[in-house]
PDB file of all heavy atoms in Angstrom:
ATOM      1  N   SER M 113      22.244 -14.448  24.865  1.00 98.00           N
ATOM      2  CA  SER M 113      23.307 -13.639  24.390  1.00 98.00           C
ATOM      3  C   SER M 113      24.242 -14.347  23.452  1.00 98.00           C
ATOM      4  O   SER M 113      23.958 -15.507  23.141  1.00 98.00           O
ATOM      5  CB  SER M 113      24.172 -13.105  25.583  1.00 98.00           C
ATOM      6  OG  SER M 113      25.017 -14.119  26.061  1.00 98.00           O
ATOM      7  N   ASP M 115      27.876 -16.217  22.780  1.00 98.00           N
ATOM      8  CA  ASP M 115      28.837 -16.871  23.685  1.00 98.00           C
ATOM      9  C   ASP M 115      30.080 -16.020  23.847  1.00 98.00           C
ATOM     10  O   ASP M 115      30.957 -16.370  24.649  1.00 98.00           O
ATOM     11  CB  ASP M 115      29.180 -18.298  23.172  1.00 98.00           C
ATOM     12  CG  ASP M 115      29.714 -18.324  21.718  1.00 98.00           C
ATOM     13  OD1 ASP M 115      29.954 -17.229  21.204  1.00 98.00           O
ATOM     14  OD2 ASP M 115      30.116 -19.398  21.282  1.00 98.00           O
ATOM     15  N   HIS M 117      29.863 -12.856  24.723  1.00 98.00           N
ATOM     16  CA  HIS M 117      29.506 -11.804  25.781  1.00 98.00           C
ATOM     17  C   HIS M 117      30.326 -12.091  27.046  1.00 98.00           C
ATOM     18  O   HIS M 117      30.607 -13.221  27.387  1.00 98.00           O
ATOM     19  CB  HIS M 117      28.007 -11.879  26.114  1.00 98.00           C
ATOM     20  CG  HIS M 117      27.491 -10.659  26.827  1.00 98.00           C
ATOM     21  ND1 HIS M 117      27.910 -10.323  28.094  1.00 98.00           N
ATOM     22  CD2 HIS M 117      26.649  -9.666  26.446  1.00 98.00           C
ATOM     23  CE1 HIS M 117      27.253  -9.191  28.512  1.00 98.00           C
ATOM     24  NE2 HIS M 117      26.523  -8.810  27.484  1.00 98.00           N
ATOM     25  N   ALA M 118      30.732 -11.017  27.632  1.00 98.00           N
ATOM     26  CA  ALA M 118      31.546 -11.118  28.842  1.00 98.00           C
ATOM     27  C   ALA M 118      30.895 -11.944  29.928  1.00 98.00           C
ATOM     28  O   ALA M 118      31.588 -12.560  30.729  1.00 98.00           O
ATOM     29  CB  ALA M 118      31.951  -9.693  29.358  1.00 98.00           C
ATOM     30  N   TRP M 119      29.601 -11.795  30.062  1.00 98.00           N
ATOM     31  CA  TRP M 119      28.874 -12.598  31.048  1.00 98.00           C
ATOM     32  C   TRP M 119      29.068 -14.158  30.873  1.00 98.00           C
ATOM     33  O   TRP M 119      29.320 -14.852  31.826  1.00 98.00           O
ATOM     34  CB  TRP M 119      27.327 -12.328  30.984  1.00 98.00           C
ATOM     35  CG  TRP M 119      26.908 -10.889  31.284  1.00 98.00           C
ATOM     36  CD1 TRP M 119      27.701  -9.980  31.924  1.00 98.00           C
ATOM     37  CD2 TRP M 119      25.663 -10.313  31.048  1.00 98.00           C
ATOM     38  NE1 TRP M 119      26.974  -8.808  32.002  1.00 98.00           N
ATOM     39  CE2 TRP M 119      25.720  -8.988  31.556  1.00 98.00           C
ATOM     40  CE3 TRP M 119      24.464 -10.843  30.438  1.00 98.00           C
ATOM     41  CZ2 TRP M 119      24.614  -8.117  31.451  1.00 98.00           C
ATOM     42  CZ3 TRP M 119      23.332  -9.945  30.345  1.00 98.00           C
ATOM     43  CH2 TRP M 119      23.424  -8.630  30.871  1.00 98.00           C
ATOM     44  N   PHE M 120      28.938 -14.550  29.630  1.00 98.00           N
ATOM     45  CA  PHE M 120      29.099 -15.992  29.345  1.00 98.00           C
ATOM     46  C   PHE M 120      30.532 -16.443  29.447  1.00 98.00           C
ATOM     47  O   PHE M 120      30.811 -17.508  29.997  1.00 98.00           O
ATOM     48  CB  PHE M 120      28.492 -16.410  27.978  1.00 98.00           C
ATOM     49  CG  PHE M 120      28.563 -17.840  27.714  1.00 98.00           C
ATOM     50  CD1 PHE M 120      27.565 -18.622  28.340  1.00 98.00           C
ATOM     51  CD2 PHE M 120      29.446 -18.431  26.881  1.00 98.00           C
ATOM     52  CE1 PHE M 120      27.500 -20.016  28.175  1.00 98.00           C
ATOM     53  CE2 PHE M 120      29.374 -19.895  26.682  1.00 98.00           C
ATOM     54  CZ  PHE M 120      28.444 -20.589  27.317  1.00 98.00           C
ATOM     55  N   GLN M 121      31.425 -15.637  29.050  1.00 98.00           N
ATOM     56  CA  GLN M 121      32.822 -15.950  29.162  1.00 98.00           C
ATOM     57  C   GLN M 121      33.202 -16.141  30.659  1.00 98.00           C
ATOM     58  O   GLN M 121      34.029 -17.026  30.962  1.00 98.00           O
ATOM     59  CB  GLN M 121      33.688 -14.811  28.512  1.00 98.00           C
ATOM     60  CG  GLN M 121      33.589 -14.722  27.063  1.00 98.00           C
ATOM     61  CD  GLN M 121      34.120 -15.927  26.314  1.00 98.00           C
ATOM     62  OE1 GLN M 121      35.212 -16.327  26.540  1.00 98.00           O
ATOM     63  NE2 GLN M 121      33.349 -16.550  25.413  1.00 98.00           N
ATOM     64  N   GLU M 122      32.734 -15.361  31.519  1.00 98.00           N
ATOM     65  CA  GLU M 122      32.938 -15.600  32.999  1.00 98.00           C
ATOM     66  C   GLU M 122      32.147 -16.803  33.475  1.00 98.00           C
ATOM     67  O   GLU M 122      32.721 -17.609  34.237  1.00 98.00           O
ATOM     68  CB  GLU M 122      32.490 -14.344  33.715  1.00 98.00           C
ATOM     69  CG  GLU M 122      32.735 -14.394  35.227  1.00 98.00           C
ATOM     70  CD  GLU M 122      32.364 -13.198  35.970  1.00 98.00           C
ATOM     71  OE1 GLU M 122      32.009 -12.125  35.268  1.00 98.00           O
ATOM     72  OE2 GLU M 122      32.538 -13.170  37.202  1.00 98.00           O
ATOM     73  N   SER M 123      30.831 -16.915  33.023  1.00 98.00           N
ATOM     74  CA  SER M 123      30.032 -17.963  33.539  1.00 98.00           C
ATOM     75  C   SER M 123      30.692 -19.414  33.247  1.00 98.00           C
ATOM     76  O   SER M 123      30.544 -20.356  34.067  1.00 98.00           O
ATOM     77  CB  SER M 123      28.681 -17.891  32.946  1.00 98.00           C
ATOM     78  OG  SER M 123      27.815 -18.854  33.475  1.00 98.00           O
ATOM     79  N   ARG M 124      31.260 -19.538  32.111  1.00 98.00           N
ATOM     80  CA  ARG M 124      31.777 -20.841  31.680  1.00 98.00           C
ATOM     81  C   ARG M 124      33.098 -21.227  32.331  1.00 98.00           C
ATOM     82  O   ARG M 124      33.591 -22.384  32.099  1.00 98.00           O
ATOM     83  CB  ARG M 124      31.864 -20.924  30.113  1.00 98.00           C
ATOM     84  CG  ARG M 124      33.058 -20.256  29.521  1.00 98.00           C
ATOM     85  CD  ARG M 124      32.963 -20.179  28.021  1.00 98.00           C
ATOM     86  NE  ARG M 124      32.550 -21.415  27.397  1.00 98.00           N
ATOM     87  CZ  ARG M 124      32.342 -21.505  26.097  1.00 98.00           C
ATOM     88  NH1 ARG M 124      32.558 -20.505  25.254  1.00 98.00           N
ATOM     89  NH2 ARG M 124      31.985 -22.669  25.545  1.00 98.00           N
ATOM     90  N   GLN M 125      33.753 -20.287  33.090  1.00 98.00           N
ATOM     91  CA  GLN M 125      35.069 -20.539  33.599  1.00 98.00           C
ATOM     92  C   GLN M 125      35.033 -21.666  34.684  1.00 98.00           C
ATOM     93  O   GLN M 125      35.836 -22.538  34.595  1.00 98.00           O
ATOM     94  CB  GLN M 125      35.556 -19.348  34.272  1.00 98.00           C
ATOM     95  CG  GLN M 125      35.958 -18.160  33.328  1.00 98.00           C
ATOM     96  CD  GLN M 125      37.029 -18.596  32.345  1.00 98.00           C
ATOM     97  OE1 GLN M 125      38.034 -19.212  32.700  1.00 98.00           O
ATOM     98  NE2 GLN M 125      36.789 -18.263  31.056  1.00 98.00           N
ATOM     99  N   ASP M 126      34.005 -21.692  35.486  1.00 98.00           N
ATOM    100  CA  ASP M 126      33.865 -22.760  36.566  1.00 98.00           C
ATOM    101  C   ASP M 126      32.518 -22.610  37.201  1.00 98.00           C
ATOM    102  O   ASP M 126      31.677 -21.747  36.692  1.00 98.00           O
ATOM    103  CB  ASP M 126      35.010 -22.565  37.659  1.00 98.00           C
ATOM    104  CG  ASP M 126      35.034 -21.160  38.250  1.00 98.00           C
ATOM    105  OD1 ASP M 126      33.976 -20.699  38.694  1.00 98.00           O
ATOM    106  OD2 ASP M 126      36.077 -20.545  38.246  1.00 98.00           O
ATOM    107  N   ARG M 127      32.241 -23.405  38.195  1.00 98.00           N
ATOM    108  CA  ARG M 127      30.812 -23.483  38.790  1.00 98.00           C
ATOM    109  C   ARG M 127      30.780 -22.526  39.976  1.00 98.00           C
ATOM    110  O   ARG M 127      29.729 -22.544  40.722  1.00 98.00           O
ATOM    111  CB  ARG M 127      30.483 -24.814  39.211  1.00 98.00           C
ATOM    112  CG  ARG M 127      30.530 -25.802  38.040  1.00 98.00           C
ATOM    113  CD  ARG M 127      29.987 -27.108  38.442  1.00 98.00           C
ATOM    114  NE  ARG M 127      30.176 -28.181  37.382  1.00 98.00           N
ATOM    115  CZ  ARG M 127      29.546 -29.431  37.413  1.00 98.00           C
ATOM    116  NH1 ARG M 127      28.749 -29.718  38.401  1.00 98.00           N
ATOM    117  NH2 ARG M 127      29.833 -30.246  36.454  1.00 98.00           N
ATOM    118  N   THR M 128      31.785 -21.769  40.298  1.00 98.00           N
ATOM    119  CA  THR M 128      31.723 -20.937  41.591  1.00 98.00           C
ATOM    120  C   THR M 128      31.957 -19.453  41.318  1.00 98.00           C
ATOM    121  O   THR M 128      31.887 -18.644  42.258  1.00 98.00           O
ATOM    122  CB  THR M 128      32.869 -21.427  42.491  1.00 98.00           C
ATOM    123  OG1 THR M 128      34.118 -21.291  41.857  1.00 98.00           O
ATOM    124  CG2 THR M 128      32.616 -22.828  42.871  1.00 98.00           C
ATOM    125  N   ASN M 129      32.024 -18.971  40.003  1.00 98.00           N
ATOM    126  CA  ASN M 129      32.383 -17.555  39.851  1.00 98.00           C
ATOM    127  C   ASN M 129      31.077 -16.750  39.974  1.00 98.00           C
ATOM    128  O   ASN M 129      29.982 -17.300  40.178  1.00 98.00           O
ATOM    129  CB  ASN M 129      32.917 -17.340  38.374  1.00 98.00           C
ATOM    130  CG  ASN M 129      31.974 -17.701  37.324  1.00 98.00           C
ATOM    131  OD1 ASN M 129      31.102 -16.959  36.935  1.00 98.00           O
ATOM    132  ND2 ASN M 129      32.161 -18.839  36.682  1.00 98.00           N
ATOM    133  N   ALA M 130      31.235 -15.406  39.974  1.00 98.00           N
ATOM    134  CA  ALA M 130      30.048 -14.554  40.286  1.00 98.00           C
ATOM    135  C   ALA M 130      28.884 -14.765  39.319  1.00 98.00           C
ATOM    136  O   ALA M 130      27.770 -14.383  39.713  1.00 98.00           O
ATOM    137  CB  ALA M 130      30.576 -13.087  40.343  1.00 98.00           C
ATOM    138  N   ARG M 131      29.198 -15.162  38.171  1.00 98.00           N
ATOM    139  CA  ARG M 131      28.092 -15.285  37.164  1.00 98.00           C
ATOM    140  C   ARG M 131      28.003 -16.785  36.730  1.00 98.00           C
ATOM    141  O   ARG M 131      27.412 -17.091  35.657  1.00 98.00           O
ATOM    142  CB  ARG M 131      28.364 -14.436  35.946  1.00 98.00           C
ATOM    143  CG  ARG M 131      28.278 -12.895  36.211  1.00 98.00           C
ATOM    144  CD  ARG M 131      28.296 -12.154  34.888  1.00 98.00           C
ATOM    145  NE  ARG M 131      28.006 -10.743  35.146  1.00 98.00           N
ATOM    146  CZ  ARG M 131      28.964  -9.801  35.326  1.00 98.00           C
ATOM    147  NH1 ARG M 131      30.251 -10.143  35.335  1.00 98.00           N
ATOM    148  NH2 ARG M 131      28.557  -8.536  35.596  1.00 98.00           N
ATOM    149  N   ALA M 132      28.328 -17.665  37.553  1.00 98.00           N
ATOM    150  CA  ALA M 132      28.187 -19.114  37.305  1.00 98.00           C
ATOM    151  C   ALA M 132      26.837 -19.516  36.941  1.00 98.00           C
ATOM    152  O   ALA M 132      26.616 -20.432  36.147  1.00 98.00           O
ATOM    153  CB  ALA M 132      28.793 -19.931  38.460  1.00 98.00           C
ATOM    154  N   ASP M 133      25.820 -18.898  37.533  1.00 98.00           N
ATOM    155  CA  ASP M 133      24.489 -19.299  37.398  1.00 98.00           C
ATOM    156  C   ASP M 133      23.648 -18.323  36.530  1.00 98.00           C
ATOM    157  O   ASP M 133      22.484 -18.336  36.523  1.00 98.00           O
ATOM    158  CB  ASP M 133      23.762 -19.450  38.768  1.00 98.00           C
ATOM    159  CG  ASP M 133      24.381 -20.531  39.613  1.00 98.00           C
ATOM    160  OD1 ASP M 133      24.810 -21.592  39.039  1.00 98.00           O
ATOM    161  OD2 ASP M 133      24.426 -20.455  40.828  1.00 98.00           O
ATOM    162  N   TRP M 134      24.383 -17.478  35.780  1.00 98.00           N
ATOM    163  CA  TRP M 134      23.695 -16.478  34.933  1.00 98.00           C
ATOM    164  C   TRP M 134      23.135 -17.159  33.639  1.00 98.00           C
ATOM    165  O   TRP M 134      22.331 -16.536  33.002  1.00 98.00           O
ATOM    166  CB  TRP M 134      24.588 -15.320  34.631  1.00 98.00           C
ATOM    167  CG  TRP M 134      24.629 -14.240  35.666  1.00 98.00           C
ATOM    168  CD1 TRP M 134      24.665 -14.508  37.031  1.00 98.00           C
ATOM    169  CD2 TRP M 134      24.633 -12.879  35.510  1.00 98.00           C
ATOM    170  NE1 TRP M 134      24.737 -13.269  37.719  1.00 98.00           N
ATOM    171  CE2 TRP M 134      24.723 -12.280  36.748  1.00 98.00           C
ATOM    172  CE3 TRP M 134      24.616 -12.028  34.300  1.00 98.00           C
ATOM    173  CZ2 TRP M 134      24.707 -10.883  36.975  1.00 98.00           C
ATOM    174  CZ3 TRP M 134      24.678 -10.679  34.559  1.00 98.00           C
ATOM    175  CH2 TRP M 134      24.694 -10.066  35.822  1.00 98.00           C
ATOM    176  N   TYR M 135      23.638 -18.361  33.332  1.00 99.00           N
ATOM    177  CA  TYR M 135      23.114 -19.093  32.208  1.00 99.00           C
ATOM    178  C   TYR M 135      22.551 -20.402  32.680  1.00 99.00           C
ATOM    179  O   TYR M 135      22.719 -20.759  33.869  1.00 99.00           O
ATOM    180  CB  TYR M 135      24.265 -19.241  31.187  1.00 99.00           C
ATOM    181  CG  TYR M 135      24.648 -17.983  30.523  1.00 99.00           C
ATOM    182  CD1 TYR M 135      25.595 -17.085  31.152  1.00 99.00           C
ATOM    183  CD2 TYR M 135      24.122 -17.617  29.299  1.00 99.00           C
ATOM    184  CE1 TYR M 135      25.902 -15.865  30.571  1.00 99.00           C
ATOM    185  CE2 TYR M 135      24.468 -16.371  28.714  1.00 99.00           C
ATOM    186  CZ  TYR M 135      25.313 -15.508  29.325  1.00 99.00           C
ATOM    187  OH  TYR M 135      25.695 -14.300  28.758  1.00 99.00           O
ATOM    188  N   VAL M 136      21.882 -21.128  31.783  1.00 98.00           N
ATOM    189  CA  VAL M 136      21.238 -22.376  32.178  1.00 98.00           C
ATOM    190  C   VAL M 136      22.232 -23.521  31.957  1.00 98.00           C
ATOM    191  O   VAL M 136      22.447 -23.934  30.819  1.00 98.00           O
ATOM    192  CB  VAL M 136      19.991 -22.593  31.324  1.00 98.00           C
ATOM    193  CG1 VAL M 136      19.249 -23.907  31.764  1.00 98.00           C
ATOM    194  CG2 VAL M 136      19.057 -21.372  31.445  1.00 98.00           C
ATOM    195  N   TRP M 137      22.796 -24.000  33.061  1.00 98.00           N
ATOM    196  CA  TRP M 137      23.764 -25.097  33.043  1.00 98.00           C
ATOM    197  C   TRP M 137      23.118 -26.380  33.674  1.00 98.00           C
ATOM    198  O   TRP M 137      22.298 -26.234  34.570  1.00 98.00           O
ATOM    199  CB  TRP M 137      25.001 -24.730  33.838  1.00 98.00           C
ATOM    200  CG  TRP M 137      25.848 -23.613  33.267  1.00 98.00           C
ATOM    201  CD1 TRP M 137      25.735 -22.350  33.614  1.00 98.00           C
ATOM    202  CD2 TRP M 137      26.832 -23.747  32.225  1.00 98.00           C
ATOM    203  NE1 TRP M 137      26.632 -21.645  32.851  1.00 98.00           N
ATOM    204  CE2 TRP M 137      27.361 -22.432  32.047  1.00 98.00           C
ATOM    205  CE3 TRP M 137      27.332 -24.838  31.482  1.00 98.00           C
ATOM    206  CZ2 TRP M 137      28.359 -22.164  31.091  1.00 98.00           C
ATOM    207  CZ3 TRP M 137      28.374 -24.566  30.567  1.00 98.00           C
ATOM    208  CH2 TRP M 137      28.811 -23.250  30.362  1.00 98.00           C
ATOM    209  N   ASP M 162      30.150 -28.378  27.597  1.00 98.00           N
ATOM    210  CA  ASP M 162      31.255 -27.445  27.810  1.00 98.00           C
ATOM    211  C   ASP M 162      32.290 -28.256  28.696  1.00 98.00           C
ATOM    212  O   ASP M 162      31.958 -28.582  29.868  1.00 98.00           O
ATOM    213  CB  ASP M 162      30.851 -26.188  28.534  1.00 98.00           C
ATOM    214  CG  ASP M 162      32.002 -25.230  28.734  1.00 98.00           C
ATOM    215  OD1 ASP M 162      32.253 -24.355  27.816  1.00 98.00           O
ATOM    216  OD2 ASP M 162      32.729 -25.261  29.740  1.00 98.00           O
ATOM    217  N   ARG M 164      35.042 -27.479  30.177  1.00 97.00           N
ATOM    218  CA  ARG M 164      35.626 -26.871  31.351  1.00 97.00           C
ATOM    219  C   ARG M 164      34.705 -27.060  32.569  1.00 97.00           C
ATOM    220  O   ARG M 164      35.204 -27.407  33.671  1.00 97.00           O
ATOM    221  CB  ARG M 164      35.889 -25.375  31.036  1.00 97.00           C
ATOM    222  CG  ARG M 164      36.538 -24.672  32.291  1.00 97.00           C
ATOM    223  CD  ARG M 164      36.947 -23.191  31.844  1.00 97.00           C
ATOM    224  NE  ARG M 164      37.819 -23.184  30.709  1.00 97.00           N
ATOM    225  CZ  ARG M 164      38.150 -22.056  30.072  1.00 97.00           C
ATOM    226  NH1 ARG M 164      37.719 -20.903  30.387  1.00 97.00           N
ATOM    227  NH2 ARG M 164      38.990 -22.147  29.049  1.00 97.00           N
ATOM    228  N   ARG M 165      33.452 -26.863  32.424  1.00 98.00           N
ATOM    229  CA  ARG M 165      32.512 -26.987  33.528  1.00 98.00           C
ATOM    230  C   ARG M 165      31.915 -28.361  33.595  1.00 98.00           C
ATOM    231  O   ARG M 165      31.318 -28.780  34.587  1.00 98.00           O
ATOM    232  CB  ARG M 165      31.341 -25.989  33.381  1.00 98.00           C
ATOM    233  CG  ARG M 165      31.603 -24.589  33.740  1.00 98.00           C
ATOM    234  CD  ARG M 165      30.438 -23.708  33.803  1.00 98.00           C
ATOM    235  NE  ARG M 165      29.298 -24.169  34.601  1.00 98.00           N
ATOM    236  CZ  ARG M 165      28.585 -23.326  35.346  1.00 98.00           C
ATOM    237  NH1 ARG M 165      28.772 -22.048  35.346  1.00 98.00           N
ATOM    238  NH2 ARG M 165      27.539 -23.960  36.011  1.00 98.00           N
ATOM    239  N   GLN M 166      32.191 -29.173  32.609  1.00 98.00           N
ATOM    240  CA  GLN M 166      31.723 -30.577  32.542  1.00 98.00           C
ATOM    241  C   GLN M 166      30.231 -30.575  32.710  1.00 98.00           C
ATOM    242  O   GLN M 166      29.617 -31.446  33.386  1.00 98.00           O
ATOM    243  CB  GLN M 166      32.372 -31.501  33.524  1.00 98.00           C
ATOM    244  CG  GLN M 166      33.924 -31.521  33.371  1.00 98.00           C
ATOM    245  CD  GLN M 166      34.592 -32.340  34.474  1.00 98.00           C
ATOM    246  OE1 GLN M 166      34.028 -33.240  35.084  1.00 98.00           O
ATOM    247  NE2 GLN M 166      35.874 -32.012  34.759  1.00 98.00           N
ATOM    248  N   GLN M 167      29.550 -29.635  32.006  1.00 98.00           N
ATOM    249  CA  GLN M 167      28.115 -29.515  32.059  1.00 98.00           C
ATOM    250  C   GLN M 167      27.635 -29.071  30.659  1.00 98.00           C
ATOM    251  O   GLN M 167      28.452 -28.552  29.842  1.00 98.00           O
ATOM    252  CB  GLN M 167      27.655 -28.427  33.008  1.00 98.00           C
ATOM    253  CG  GLN M 167      27.784 -28.896  34.553  1.00 98.00           C
ATOM    254  CD  GLN M 167      27.326 -27.762  35.386  1.00 98.00           C
ATOM    255  OE1 GLN M 167      27.757 -26.571  35.311  1.00 98.00           O
ATOM    256  NE2 GLN M 167      26.319 -28.084  36.288  1.00 98.00           N
ATOM    257  N   TYR M 169      25.091 -26.461  28.434  1.00 98.00           N
ATOM    258  CA  TYR M 169      24.363 -25.247  28.571  1.00 98.00           C
ATOM    259  C   TYR M 169      23.239 -25.236  27.536  1.00 98.00           C
ATOM    260  O   TYR M 169      23.383 -25.768  26.514  1.00 98.00           O
ATOM    261  CB  TYR M 169      25.353 -24.049  28.441  1.00 98.00           C
ATOM    262  CG  TYR M 169      25.948 -23.843  27.112  1.00 98.00           C
ATOM    263  CD1 TYR M 169      25.308 -23.191  26.014  1.00 98.00           C
ATOM    264  CD2 TYR M 169      27.233 -24.355  26.829  1.00 98.00           C
ATOM    265  CE1 TYR M 169      25.902 -23.003  24.762  1.00 98.00           C
ATOM    266  CE2 TYR M 169      27.847 -24.134  25.607  1.00 98.00           C
ATOM    267  CZ  TYR M 169      27.186 -23.553  24.577  1.00 98.00           C
ATOM    268  OH  TYR M 169      27.749 -23.338  23.329  1.00 98.00           O
ATOM    269  N   PRO M 178      23.880 -18.890  23.942  1.00 98.00           N
ATOM    270  CA  PRO M 178      23.421 -19.483  25.238  1.00 98.00           C
ATOM    271  C   PRO M 178      22.326 -18.720  25.844  1.00 98.00           C
ATOM    272  O   PRO M 178      22.302 -17.513  25.845  1.00 98.00           O
ATOM    273  CB  PRO M 178      24.716 -19.423  26.050  1.00 98.00           C
ATOM    274  CG  PRO M 178      25.513 -18.298  25.488  1.00 98.00           C
ATOM    275  CD  PRO M 178      25.205 -18.316  24.001  1.00 98.00           C
ATOM    276  N   ASP M 179      21.380 -19.478  26.487  1.00 98.00           N
ATOM    277  CA  ASP M 179      20.205 -18.900  27.129  1.00 98.00           C
ATOM    278  C   ASP M 179      20.568 -18.429  28.549  1.00 98.00           C
ATOM    279  O   ASP M 179      21.221 -19.039  29.323  1.00 98.00           O
ATOM    280  CB  ASP M 179      19.032 -19.903  27.212  1.00 98.00           C
ATOM    281  CG  ASP M 179      18.152 -19.939  25.971  1.00 98.00           C
ATOM    282  OD1 ASP M 179      18.742 -20.188  24.947  1.00 98.00           O
ATOM    283  OD2 ASP M 179      16.990 -19.678  26.098  1.00 98.00           O
ATOM    284  N   LEU M 180      20.239 -17.139  28.820  1.00 98.00           N
ATOM    285  CA  LEU M 180      20.320 -16.603  30.153  1.00 98.00           C
ATOM    286  C   LEU M 180      19.340 -17.211  31.051  1.00 98.00           C
ATOM    287  O   LEU M 180      18.227 -17.613  30.737  1.00 98.00           O
ATOM    288  CB  LEU M 180      20.178 -15.093  30.104  1.00 98.00           C
ATOM    289  CG  LEU M 180      21.312 -14.312  29.530  1.00 98.00           C
ATOM    290  CD1 LEU M 180      20.926 -13.019  28.810  1.00 98.00           C
ATOM    291  CD2 LEU M 180      22.337 -14.015  30.595  1.00 98.00           C
ATOM    292  N   ASN M 181      19.762 -17.269  32.346  1.00 98.00           N
ATOM    293  CA  ASN M 181      18.953 -17.855  33.391  1.00 98.00           C
ATOM    294  C   ASN M 181      18.178 -16.786  34.112  1.00 98.00           C
ATOM    295  O   ASN M 181      18.577 -16.174  35.042  1.00 98.00           O
ATOM    296  CB  ASN M 181      19.825 -18.651  34.374  1.00 98.00           C
ATOM    297  CG  ASN M 181      18.977 -19.243  35.519  1.00 98.00           C
ATOM    298  OD1 ASN M 181      17.784 -19.455  35.437  1.00 98.00           O
ATOM    299  ND2 ASN M 181      19.709 -19.529  36.633  1.00 98.00           N
ATOM    300  N   HIS M 184      17.480 -16.155  37.933  1.00 98.00           N
ATOM    301  CA  HIS M 184      18.397 -15.481  38.738  1.00 98.00           C
ATOM    302  C   HIS M 184      18.098 -14.008  38.781  1.00 98.00           C
ATOM    303  O   HIS M 184      18.031 -13.327  37.783  1.00 98.00           O
ATOM    304  CB  HIS M 184      19.842 -15.711  38.101  1.00 98.00           C
ATOM    305  CG  HIS M 184      20.973 -15.379  39.040  1.00 98.00           C
ATOM    306  ND1 HIS M 184      21.093 -14.268  39.733  1.00 98.00           N
ATOM    307  CD2 HIS M 184      22.023 -16.158  39.443  1.00 98.00           C
ATOM    308  CE1 HIS M 184      22.189 -14.223  40.494  1.00 98.00           C
ATOM    309  NE2 HIS M 184      22.733 -15.418  40.268  1.00 98.00           N
ATOM    310  N   VAL M 187      20.248 -11.473  36.897  1.00 98.00           N
ATOM    311  CA  VAL M 187      20.013 -11.437  35.332  1.00 98.00           C
ATOM    312  C   VAL M 187      18.870 -10.552  35.043  1.00 98.00           C
ATOM    313  O   VAL M 187      18.928  -9.793  34.174  1.00 98.00           O
ATOM    314  CB  VAL M 187      19.748 -12.903  34.873  1.00 98.00           C
ATOM    315  CG1 VAL M 187      19.336 -12.867  33.451  1.00 98.00           C
ATOM    316  CG2 VAL M 187      21.111 -13.706  35.046  1.00 98.00           C
TER     317      VAL M 187
END
Side-chain angles (χ1 to χ4, degrees):
S113 74
D115 60 359
H117 197 291
W119 294 347
F120 187 73
Q121 292 295 308
E122 182 177 356
S123 184
R124 76 188 317 176
Q125 292 300 313
D126 53 53
R127 302 190 189 190
T128 59
N129 66 78
R131 293 192 172 91
D133 298 326
W134 276 41
Y135 292 81
V136 183
W137 295 95
D162 185 90
R164 184 175 299 174
R165 285 188 52 144
Q166 300 176 28
Q167 287 182 305
Y169 65 86
D179 273 59
L180 284 150
N181 177 19
H184 198 307
V187 170

